[in-house]
Amino acid sequence: VGAGVPHGVIPIANFLSMPAINEFLNVDFVGAPASVVFHTPFLRYMTIYGAVDVSAKSLKRATSKGRCVGLVGDGIAGIFSEGEVVALKSRKGLARFSLKNGVTLIPAYSMGNTAIMTALYDSKGIMENLSRRLRMSLFIPVGRWGTVLPRRANVSMLLGPLVAPEQKEDPTQEEIDAVHQQLLDGIEGCFNTHRGAHGWPDRQFSFA
């Protein structure tokens, strides 16, 4: 399971990487968006390269069949984060899933997702709270010239070292924390190693 962050308004690097991975690595790679994407006009076209629901049950079914699945680890929270801030610090579901099912995780950083568009929303967190409750994002996307057209920006998908823990039927919290930290370290390493080559030598990164 590939965990590519941050989400940004549109996870364009994640989306564009899918046909490339399928074509050049010759694997069955699909995305795992939120359930609402499958039923929303325009957004559902983003499943054109293949997709499964992001629920644990659906991920288990897909990986048990040998499929590689990519998802955006910070989800809706990543839309409401400013700059290169990844809302993944306390989200340990992927680490738990990896341990219980013996599934390898791929830390990944999606350079450019936060640059192509900006999300406008209220400062009191009302739209963010509603988005989480409804499981769909409520905000105003702003791109080039103040329209919904994406801004020009370099977009890259960076992959870190694999996190492949031994399968545990009932993992302890310490084991989950350890795998989660490996995932965070891999993501941060991707960013810090390649930010200069991407043209962001001074850009700061943090987890929230």
Side-chain angles (χ1 to χ4, degrees), residues 141-201:
V142 178
R144 199 175 186 190
W145 305 310
T147 69
V148 294
L149 293 175
R151 302 185 186 98
R152 288 187 176 182
N154 292 329
V155 174
S156 302
M157 174 61 77
L158 310 175
L159 304 180
L162 301 180
V163 178
E166 181 182 347
Q167 185 173 2
K168 302 281 187 177
E169 186 67 29
D170 188 21
T172 65
Q173 188 58 53
E174 290 75 16
E175 290 169 332
I176 293 172
D177 290 344
V179 171
H180 182 66
Q181 190 58 53
Q182 289 182 61
L183 179 63
L184 297 186
D185 291 343
I187 291 171
E188 185 172 10
C190 284
F191 180 84
N192 289 333
T193 300
H194 300 286
R195 62 180 179 176
H198 188 78
W200 292 353

Side-chain angles (χ1 to χ4, degrees), residues 7-202:
H7 189 291
V9 173
I10 299 176
I12 190 68
N14 308 56
F15 180 68
L16 294 177
S17 69
M18 291 174 61
I21 291 173
N22 278 290
E23 180 68 25
F24 297 110
L25 298 184
N26 194 31
V27 296
D28 184 9
F29 182 80
V30 297
S35 303
V36 69
V37 171
F38 293 93
H39 310 290
T40 305
F42 175 70
L43 289 181
R44 63 188 176 193
Y45 292 112
M46 297 186 74
T47 66
I48 191 173
Y49 295 122
V52 297
D53 188 86
V54 76
S55 67
K57 183 178 180 180
S58 181
L59 291 178
K60 182 177 180 178
R61 187 186 310 117
T63 54
S64 65
K65 294 179 179 179
R67 307 185 85 178
C68 299
V69 182
L71 52 81
V72 186
D74 51 352
I76 288 176
I79 299 174
F80 296 92
S81 297
E82 300 288 338
E84 307 309 304
V85 178
V86 177
L88 197 62
K89 194 172 185 179
S90 60
R91 294 172 171 237
K92 302 179 181 181
L94 270 178
R96 184 180 294 105
F97 177 83
S98 174
L99 280 161
K100 292 191 70 172
N101 297 282
V103 173
T104 298
L105 299 179
I106 307 174
Y109 201 88
S110 309
M111 289 286 205
N113 279 1
T114 59
I116 61 170
M117 276 192 172
T118 303
L120 293 185
Y121 48 89
D122 67 287
S123 60
K124 299 185 182 298
I126 296 174
M127 295 172 76
E128 181 176 2
N129 289 331
L130 278 175
S131 295
R132 290 182 177 179
R133 290 189 179 188
L134 297 173
R135 296 187 177 181
M136 60 181 296
S137 49
L138 302 174
F139 63 94
I140 300 173
V142 178
R144 199 175 186 190
W145 305 310
T147 69
V148 294
L149 293 175
R151 302 185 186 98
R152 288 187 176 182
N154 292 329
V155 174
S156 302
M157 174 61 77
L158 310 175
L159 304 180
L162 301 180
V163 178
E166 181 182 347
Q167 185 173 2
K168 302 281 187 177
E169 186 67 29
D170 188 21
T172 65
Q173 188 58 53
E174 290 75 16
E175 290 169 332
I176 293 172
D177 290 344
V179 171
H180 182 66
Q181 190 58 53
Q182 289 182 61
L183 179 63
L184 297 186
D185 291 343
I187 291 171
E188 185 172 10
C190 284
F191 180 84
N192 289 333
T193 300
H194 300 286
R195 62 180 179 176
H198 188 78
W200 292 353
D202 301 318

